[in-house]
Amino acid sequence: MPIYNSTNVPEKVGRDELDKELADWLPRGPILGADERIADARRSHRVLAEGPWPTIGSVETLLLPGPHGSVPVRVHTPSTGSGPYGALVYLHGGGWTVGTLDEFEIPMRIFAERAGIKTYAIDYQLAPEAKFPVQLDECGFVISWLFAHAADQEVDPERIAVGGDSAGGNMTCALTLKFRDEGGPRLALQLPLYPETALPFDTDSGSENRVGFYLETYGVLLFAWNYVPHHEDARQPLISPLNASSHDDLPPAVLVTNGYDPLRDVGHAYARKLASARNDLTYIHHTDLTHGFIQFTRHSKRCLEATHQIADVLKEKIGG
């Protein structure tokens, strides 16, 4: 897949033939945003936590005293190299409603081991039990905590990144805007993977990819209902980062979109916003993959290859 920068982001992106292995597996896998009870959606996603898991140097669980109670954070340290390490604080996807750390264990291990960095995956509170801005508060707290404790964690504070997929990509974009505007930590990198930067209903990708490709377009309505309190304006930049009045002076970004994804066009639009504001940008678009591909590496060699590519870019940007 071509890798773009801020000078050559295409005006439009689309889709080619869907990866065959992925197409064969999707009917047997879970659906994100299906017309089902939240408990059933959470239960069906457990399949993504199944092993075997890749080898890793070590795994540690931290329990941090967050702003809304204890926040579990799972730390992966690679088997090679030594500190100080670059670090990726990771905000998992799932529409703020679905997702466990086990379900993201495989990509976290790939990122840590292949890039030679530490990963800090946050088990933030899910919606609808917790609503905006609880999740942003908890994730922002963990990022700030890591900057304050970088030496103890054998982390280089000049090489701390934040990233996430889907809803986690949304919060990645929102937190970089928040940190810029409020004088927060200066991140070395942001990694929004197929981010929900705005609601996708009036886009070509939202129409083309309504069902059959893991994330269902109208399921995003449920996720927004779960996450956003009714008195909040969902157009505000901390909920819809695409609507920020300015995208200037943001951390370098590695942004990934996929052809078979309802969020393709809103993610692409965000890449163009970052580019037009002259931010340092690496933009990757996969014409043959779906939303959620970093979790599907056991079922598709192409998904594994694309996940390895992200790890290799992380190694280049924040690795030792």
Side-chain angles (χ1 to χ4, degrees):
M1 291 293 120
I3 298 180
Y4 303 100
N5 59 43
S6 59
T7 69
N8 63 358
V9 176
E11 293 186 8
K12 186 177 177 65
V13 292
R15 63 186 200 179
D16 290 330
E17 184 177 355
L18 181 63
D19 172 66
K20 186 178 185 309
E21 284 187 314
L22 184 54
D24 290 344
W25 176 76
L26 284 170
R28 304 193 303 273
I31 299 172
L32 185 62
D35 184 10
E36 60 183 348
R37 297 185 309 160
I38 292 171
D40 292 333
R42 291 173 177 170
R43 188 177 300 111
S44 69
H45 274 74
R46 290 177 182 172
V47 67
L48 300 178
E50 294 176 356
W53 291 349
T55 58
I56 191 71
S58 64
V59 180
E60 175 189 9
T61 299
L62 305 177
L63 193 62
L64 303 182
H68 303 285
S70 299
V71 183
V73 181
R74 187 175 295 177
V75 185
H76 301 86
T77 302
S79 61
T80 59
S82 60
Y85 296 95
L88 172 67
V89 180
Y90 198 80
L91 324 179
H92 71 75
W96 303 280
T97 302
V98 174
T100 66
L101 296 189
D102 282 353
E103 291 164 23
F104 288 82
E105 184 70 8
I106 291 175
M108 290 303 96
R109 288 179 175 229
I110 290 172
F111 291 166
E113 189 71 12
R114 191 173 177 100
I117 62 173
K118 296 181 74 169
T119 59
Y120 290 74
I122 304 175
D123 194 14
Y124 59 84
Q125 295 185 61
L126 295 178
E129 294 88 345
K131 291 184 178 288
F132 170 89
V134 168
Q135 293 83 353
L136 281 182
D137 291 346
E138 292 187 330
C139 294
F141 165 81
V142 173
I143 295 166
S144 297
W145 177 90
L146 183 56
F147 272 90
H149 295 84
D152 296 340
Q153 290 292 309
E154 296 188 282
V155 164
D156 180 354
E158 300 296 319
R159 293 187 285 138
I160 296 176
V162 61
D165 62 288
S166 191
N170 166 281
M171 293 190 290
T172 294
C173 298
L175 284 169
T176 59
L177 292 167
K178 181 179 174 67
F179 288 166
R180 179 200 63 186
D181 295 341
E182 299 181 4
R186 185 65 183 181
L187 295 154
L189 185 75
Q190 59 171 312
L191 178 73
L193 304 179
Y194 32 94
E196 185 176 349
T197 63
L199 296 178
F201 306 121
D202 62 350
T203 64
D204 289 343
S205 62
S207 177
E208 293 169 357
N209 302 311
R210 294 187 300 278
V211 295
F213 306 112
Y214 177 54
L215 173 63
E216 295 195 344
T217 298
Y218 300 117
V220 179
L221 283 168
L222 171 65
F223 299 147
W225 176 274
N226 289 340
Y227 179 56
V228 182
H230 289 191
H231 66 272
E232 293 282 358
D233 184 356
R235 298 171 300 173
Q236 64 173 285
L238 293 184
I239 297 174
S240 298
L242 192 62
N243 294 337
S245 59
S246 168
H247 294 87
D248 295 343
D249 193 31
L250 292 171
V254 176
L255 195 152
V256 179
T257 56
N258 308 293
Y260 288 84
D261 185 349
L263 302 186
R264 178 191 73 211
D265 292 347
V266 295
H268 170 254
Y270 202 75
R272 288 184 61 81
K273 288 277 191 179
L274 293 175
S276 65
R278 299 183 180 180
N279 292 287
D280 182 337
L281 173 66
T282 300
Y283 175 53
I284 302 169
H285 177 67
H286 301 292
T287 59
D288 57 344
L289 295 181
T290 67
H291 196 89
F293 72 81
I294 66 169
Q295 295 176 273
F296 307 154
T297 56
R298 290 191 300 117
H299 308 287
S300 159
K301 294 183 180 66
R302 179 72 184 92
C303 290
L304 179 60
E305 174 188 77
T307 305
H308 282 169
Q309 182 185 43
I310 295 169
D312 291 343
V313 175
L314 286 170
K315 182 175 183 177
E316 176 188 341
K317 300 290 187 180
I318 62 169

